[in-house]
């Protein structure tokens, strides 16, 4: 099928780009460089080991220094254990089976630790993530192949536009008092859908709340087990907790990103530990380990009889481990079958515990950030698919510009919204921001359909404080500078901090105590500008007292969050009107919709206005009474 052939080609381009970037980071780099780039834990100490599935060995390790360095050693990642003694020869591969804080469990492809693990310092390198790409590729190939039964291929034909989705016109009324009219309509649409329903949730419209209630209603309606997936662990964690809070039996497959007791209790490991058959399994494991330890005593200089004895002990240990494997499988099958909801990341939905399971309904949350090939992994397990997300916010991160340009950055959600508008419910009422902050976004992205709920429509930071402000730096000589691959604008940064200090003074003078001070986000699309702003904030004596109320970061890291006040430093200022990265207006949609009570955008109209999006925004700010020139704030 041509559709999937194209996707497979794009995925191949993306994989090559990703692999080249990985090789560039690792090929000739020292262990310290790799550690700095988040690809290595070094040094590490082994804290314990035990036999696990398939005669492999699971080893618990801890990183003993550089514990605050962020890293990419996540659950399911392929890694290699190495020794600094001879890093080329002394290496053994494995997979991360658990990671939390500075502790990690790795299942090594061996049944005993090699001798070299007792010499020199040990480290763990993360390997290139072939597994995710293999899973995506396999899913695309399966989707492209002809299906044996007509109904098996139905969902593929609907999602690729060859068929239209159908709805059961029987009146589905499962009234949920806590939802508004449109949220209720979304739940009804989901219940009546035979194969596809889409919840389009713009910022602040209660998409997660709606989705959780819909999942609960689906289980009540047909008692089928539901698979709920999302592209990131954070999104999966949020849904898992909220579904469990509603009293559903949730099984979280994989390793949560957030370590909370509530979440840990939902994981397979935790549920297995409480299973009635666990005691028997533990005893068997202990017995197998004892046999193995006895066998290891015959390590050096042994004769024929000892060799036989050693072999017999190993055989016995393997036999017991086979029994352990069977018991473990029984426990897993039991827990998986009893769960009402199984939650996982897109790739995690093919974890060995659920690999061959089919589901009546699969729910894909944050589908606007899900790369299409990854979506097909869970989708192929479903008869009915529910997408929830917003394709007008951030799209998935694609490493290859060529693949992105040729269509890999277009999500399955966006394609389905355009193909099947009758399957879509747009959540129109938002509970986050003042209606003037919402207005521009609503006009550009949501056909002016958004409404602000009465509780937020007119709320402001202080009496007389305009909710939307654009401060124009044109003619101030604030020139952008290029640093590496990023852009920075030092004068604009200094100006922003000065403006923020003035606002903070106003808030304080109005009688607001430090403890009740509004939350503030300072955002820029450029990493280098973010570093600069963080530095300026650290050095600001006036703003230090509010430091815990102010967060500075890139737009991408604020997706899904909100603050009372948002400052955006657009950074670009040049004579050619080049706006680069700012041309991605979806990213700006995320930025401007984080603000609840006040939005302050700082930029150079002479550079920006050549883009209709920014030109119109400046006009909009003017109409709201919020246009100012930076000259008005100049000292002196």
């Amino acid at each position: 099928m041509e559709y999937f052939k194209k996707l497979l080609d794009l995925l191949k381009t993306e994989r090559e780009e990703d692999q080249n970037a990985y090789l560039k980071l690792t090929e000739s780099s020292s262990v310290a460089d790799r550690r700095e780039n988040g690809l290595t834990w070094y040094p590490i100490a082994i804290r314990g080991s035990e036999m696990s599935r398939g005669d492999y060995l699971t080893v618990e390790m801890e990183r003993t220094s550089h514990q605050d360095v962020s890293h990419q050693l996540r659950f399911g990642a392929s890694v290699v254990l190495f020794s600094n003694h001879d890093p080329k020869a002394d290496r053994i591969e494995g997979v991360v089976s658990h990671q939390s804080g500075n502790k990690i469990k790795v299942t090594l492809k061996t049944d005993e630790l090699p001798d070299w693990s007792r010499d020199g310092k040990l480290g763990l390198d993360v390997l290139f993530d072939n597994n995710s790409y293999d899973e995506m590729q396999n899913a695309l190939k399966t989707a492209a192949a002809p299906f044996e039964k007509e109904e098996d291929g139905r969902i593929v034909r609907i999602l690729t536009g060859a068929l239209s989705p159908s709805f059961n016109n029987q009146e589905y009324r499962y009234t949920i008092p806590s939802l508004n009219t449109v949220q209720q309509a979304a739940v009804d649409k989901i219940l009546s859908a035979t194969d596809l329903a889409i919840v389009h949730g713009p910022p602040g419209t209660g998409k997660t709340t709606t989705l959780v209630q819909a999942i609960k209603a689906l289980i009540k309606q047909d008692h089928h087990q539901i698979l709920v997936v999302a592209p990131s662990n954070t999104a999966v964690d949020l849904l898992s907790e909220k579904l469990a809070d509603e009293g559903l039996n949730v099984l979280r497959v994989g390793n949560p990103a957030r370590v909370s007791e509530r979440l840990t209790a939902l994981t397979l490991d935790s549920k297995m530990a409480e299973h009635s058959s666990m005691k028997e399994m533990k005893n068997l494991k202990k017995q197998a380990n004892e046999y193995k330890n006895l066998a290891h005593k015959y390590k050096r200089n042994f004769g024929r009889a000892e060799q036989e004895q050693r072999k017999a002990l190993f055989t016995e240990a393997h036999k017991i481990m086979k029994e352990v494997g069977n018991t473990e499988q029984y426990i897993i099958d039991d827990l998986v079958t009893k769960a009402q909801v199984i939650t996982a990341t897109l790739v995690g939905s093919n974890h060995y515990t659920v690999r061959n399971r089919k589901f009546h309904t699969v729910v894909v949350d944050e589908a606007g950030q899900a790369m299409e090939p990854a979506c097909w992994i869970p989708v192929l397990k479903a008869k009915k698919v529910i997408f929830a997300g917003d394709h007008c916010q951030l799209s998935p991160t694609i490493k290859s510009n060529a693949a992105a340009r040729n269509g890999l950055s277009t999500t399955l959600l966006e394609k389905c919204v355009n193909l099947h508008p009758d399957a879509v419910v747009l959540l129109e009422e938002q509970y986050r921001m003042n209606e003037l902050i919402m207005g521009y976004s609503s006009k550009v992205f949501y056909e002016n359909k958004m409404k602000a709920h009465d509780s937020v429509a007119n709320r402001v930071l202080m009496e007389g404080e305009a909710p939307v402000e654009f401060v124009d730096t044109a003619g101030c000589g604030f020139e952008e500078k290029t640093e590496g691959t990023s852009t920075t604008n030092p004068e604009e940064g200094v100006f922003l901090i000065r403006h923020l200090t003035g606002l903070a003074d106003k808030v304080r003078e109005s009688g607001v105590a430090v403890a009740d001070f509004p939350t503030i986000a300072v955002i820029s699309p450029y990493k280098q500008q973010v570093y600069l702003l963080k530095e300026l904030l650290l050095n600001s004596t006036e703003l230090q007292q509010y430091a815990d109320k102010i967060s500075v970061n890139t737009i991408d890291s604020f997706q899904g969050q909100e603050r009372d006040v948002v400052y955006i430093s657009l950074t670009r200022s040049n004579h050619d009107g080049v706006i680069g990265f700012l041309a991605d207006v979806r990213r700006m949609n995320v930025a401007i919709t984080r603000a609840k009570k006040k939005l302050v955008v700082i930029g150079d109209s002479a550079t920006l206005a050549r883009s209709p999006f920014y030109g119109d925004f400046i006009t909009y700010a003017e109409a709201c009474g919020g246009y100012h020139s930076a000259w008005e704030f100049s000292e002196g």
Side-chain angles (χ1 to χ4, degrees):
M1 195 172 166
E2 195 49 46
Y3 181 95
F4 291 105
K5 189 187 173 311
K6 186 186 174 189
L7 271 176
L8 279 161
D9 288 345
L10 291 173
L11 187 65
K12 186 169 177 258
T13 308
E14 174 70 0
R15 185 184 208 150
E16 284 164 3
E17 179 71 31
D18 199 1
Q19 204 153 13
N20 290 339
Y22 171 83
L23 290 173
K24 216 163 145 183
L25 274 179
T26 55
E27 256 182 342
S28 54
S29 59
S30 66
V31 82
D33 289 343
R34 295 201 304 278
R35 181 170 59 201
E36 200 50 44
N37 285 319
L39 301 171
T40 297
W41 276 20
Y42 180 85
I44 54 160
I46 290 178
R47 297 292 183 224
S49 66
E50 61 167 24
M51 294 170 82
S52 70
R53 294 175 70 83
D55 287 336
Y56 287 162
L57 189 71
T58 296
V59 182
E60 187 176 355
M61 312 174 204
E62 186 173 8
R63 61 171 169 177
T64 49
S65 69
H66 300 80
Q67 295 186 330
D68 51 349
V69 180
S70 63
H71 62 90
Q72 294 172 34
L73 280 85
R74 307 265 182 272
F75 169 80
S78 298
V79 290
V80 63
L81 176 69
F82 66 89
S83 147
N84 71 336
H85 208 63
D86 184 356
K88 290 267 187 288
D90 298 348
R91 42 195 295 124
I92 187 163
E93 289 188 16
V95 172
V96 176
S97 56
H98 192 82
Q99 188 270 313
S100 158
N102 287 300
K103 288 205 168 141
I104 196 163
K105 281 186 182 174
V106 176
T107 302
L108 296 172
K109 294 172 183 170
T110 178
D111 60 0
E112 55 182 311
L113 273 168
D115 290 342
W116 54 256
S117 66
R118 297 167 199 53
D119 316 322
K121 284 185 177 170
L122 300 178
L124 267 184
D125 269 339
V126 73
L127 294 171
F128 179 70
D129 184 14
N130 271 310
N131 175 51
S132 295
Y133 284 104
D134 290 345
E135 292 285 11
M136 289 190 267
Q137 191 179 319
N138 293 340
L140 293 176
K141 284 180 175 169
T142 306
F147 288 85
E148 281 173 34
K149 293 196 225 105
E150 183 74 11
E151 67 266 26
D152 286 349
R154 184 172 164 79
I155 197 75
V156 175
R157 287 196 291 279
I158 287 168
L159 299 185
T160 52
L163 282 179
S164 292
S166 60
F167 296 88
N168 189 335
N169 292 323
Q170 188 186 336
E171 188 63 25
Y172 276 109
R173 292 299 297 167
Y174 175 79
T175 309
I176 304 157
S178 59
L179 299 184
N180 67 35
T181 320
V182 197
Q183 291 170 335
Q184 179 69 57
V187 173
D188 295 343
K189 175 73 81 178
I190 287 169
L191 291 175
S192 67
T194 314
D195 22 54
L196 173 70
I198 299 168
V199 180
H200 182 185
T205 52
K207 169 182 66 71
T208 307
T209 305
T210 308
L211 207 50
V212 166
Q213 291 304 325
I215 291 165
K216 210 173 150 188
L218 278 167
I219 287 170
K220 215 166 190 150
Q221 181 192 36
D222 52 26
H223 308 292
H224 288 303
Q225 188 179 56
I226 295 177
L227 174 65
V228 177
V229 292
S232 70
N233 274 306
T234 316
V236 177
D237 290 350
L238 175 72
L239 273 170
S240 304
E241 278 188 309
K242 287 197 180 305
L243 289 162
D245 288 344
E246 289 290 330
L248 295 171
N249 178 350
V250 178
L251 176 64
R252 165 72 160 99
V253 172
N255 189 187
R258 281 188 294 118
V259 187
S260 71
E261 248 174 81
R262 186 92 189 90
L263 262 173
T264 309
L266 306 177
T267 62
L268 189 64
D269 286 351
S270 170
K271 291 193 178 204
M272 282 180 79
E274 286 166 17
H275 198 277
S276 53
S277 305
M278 199 61 186
K279 203 171 167 194
E280 173 199 346
M281 196 172 100
K282 270 197 170 140
N283 290 336
L284 285 169
K285 254 190 183 171
K286 201 171 154 198
Q287 213 177 336
N289 272 315
E290 279 166 9
Y291 279 127
K292 235 176 117 177
N293 291 336
L294 276 173
H296 283 310
K297 293 214 169 86
Y298 299 101
K299 200 79 183 173
R300 292 179 175 80
N301 316 322
F302 51 81
R304 182 85 190 260
E306 285 90 343
Q307 205 170 347
E308 292 295 323
Q309 184 64 20
R310 185 173 192 254
K311 198 175 161 194
L313 287 165
F314 269 130
T315 307
E316 197 53 39
H318 286 314
K319 213 160 81 187
I320 295 170
M321 280 312 288
K322 212 175 167 91
E323 215 175 312
V324 167
N326 294 339
T327 310
E328 192 175 67
Q329 199 54 56
Y330 161 74
I331 297 174
I332 290 168
D333 291 344
D334 188 42
L335 289 169
V336 168
T337 307
K338 283 180 181 155
Q340 291 169 297
V341 182
I342 290 175
T343 63
T345 58
L346 300 169
V347 175
S349 66
N350 231 5
H351 188 250
Y352 73 87
T353 49
V354 288
R355 182 173 286 271
N356 300 315
R357 278 188 99 78
K358 294 275 185 234
F359 296 86
H360 183 272
T361 304
V362 169
V363 176
V364 184
D365 191 21
E366 298 298 356
Q369 283 189 278
M371 199 158 73
E372 179 173 354
C375 265
W376 285 102
I377 302 169
V379 161
L380 289 173
K381 297 171 177 287
K383 272 200 172 103
K384 166 168 162 174
V385 175
I386 314 299
F387 286 126
D390 183 9
H391 52 286
C392 303
Q393 291 186 63
L394 286 176
S395 47
T397 306
I398 311 288
K399 308 240 172 44
S400 157
N401 291 333
R405 255 197 327 275
N406 290 320
L408 195 59
S409 60
T410 308
T411 57
L412 195 51
L413 169 74
E414 190 173 350
K415 289 178 182 176
C416 289
V417 166
N418 294 327
L419 283 169
H420 307 301
D422 53 333
V424 184
V425 175
L426 172 73
L427 301 180
E428 295 165 0
E429 192 164 27
Q430 62 84 17
Y431 296 81
R432 175 182 296 162
M433 52 203 133
N434 179 295
E435 59 188 359
L436 290 178
I437 297 173
M438 172 201 80
Y440 188 64
S441 180
S442 176
K443 176 174 154 244
V444 176
F445 297 99
Y446 308 108
E447 301 169 7
N448 261 331
K449 287 181 178 166
M450 301 292 296
K451 294 192 294 285
H453 186 260
D454 292 345
S455 60
V456 300
N458 300 305
R459 66 174 177 187
V460 286
L461 193 60
M462 296 173 291
E463 199 57 53
E465 192 64 38
V468 176
E469 204 174 315
F470 177 79
V471 186
D472 192 354
T473 65
C476 292
F478 295 178
E479 287 286 311
E480 65 180 62
K481 294 173 176 49
T482 306
E483 287 196 22
T485 54
S486 194
T487 305
T488 178
N489 191 325
E491 283 98 341
E492 182 175 295
V494 170
F495 175 81
L496 185 151
I497 297 294
R498 203 167 75 228
H499 190 285
L500 173 54
T501 307
L503 184 71
D505 290 344
K506 258 200 261 181
V507 172
R508 197 182 59 243
E509 283 157 17
S510 74
V512 173
V514 173
D516 304 321
F517 201 75
T519 54
I520 298 167
V522 179
I523 300 178
S524 174
Y526 294 97
K527 274 201 181 115
Q528 212 49 51
Q529 186 72 348
V530 167
Y531 295 145
L532 174 96
L533 288 161
K534 282 182 174 170
E535 189 73 17
L536 289 167
L537 196 63
L538 275 176
N539 295 325
S540 160
T541 43
E542 296 99 320
L543 293 174
Q544 267 317 298
Q545 57 184 318
Y546 312 117
D548 60 333
K549 299 282 186 178
I550 306 172
S551 11
V552 186
N553 221 322
T554 58
I555 296 172
D556 300 41
S557 58
F558 277 110
Q559 169 127 342
Q561 298 187 44
E562 56 186 32
R563 298 287 189 277
D564 294 320
V565 181
V566 169
Y567 271 80
I568 304 171
S569 170
L570 292 176
T571 311
R572 299 310 294 247
S573 175
N574 55 68
H575 299 304
D576 306 318
V578 175
I579 61 165
F581 205 34
L582 294 185
D584 182 355
V585 296
R586 291 181 186 186
R587 185 171 264 107
M588 284 313 296
N589 184 31
V590 172
I592 60 185
T593 55
R594 300 307 96 202
K596 298 202 285 192
K597 301 173 184 174
K598 186 170 178 73
L599 170 70
V600 183
V601 181
I602 298 172
D604 177 353
S605 64
T607 302
L608 298 164
R610 299 191 200 183
S611 148
F613 177 84
Y614 293 99
D616 292 351
F617 177 75
I618 294 166
T619 309
Y620 177 80
E622 213 163 352
C624 296
Y627 174 87
H628 298 282
S629 165
W631 289 105
E632 296 172 38
F633 302 91
S634 62
E635 292 165 306

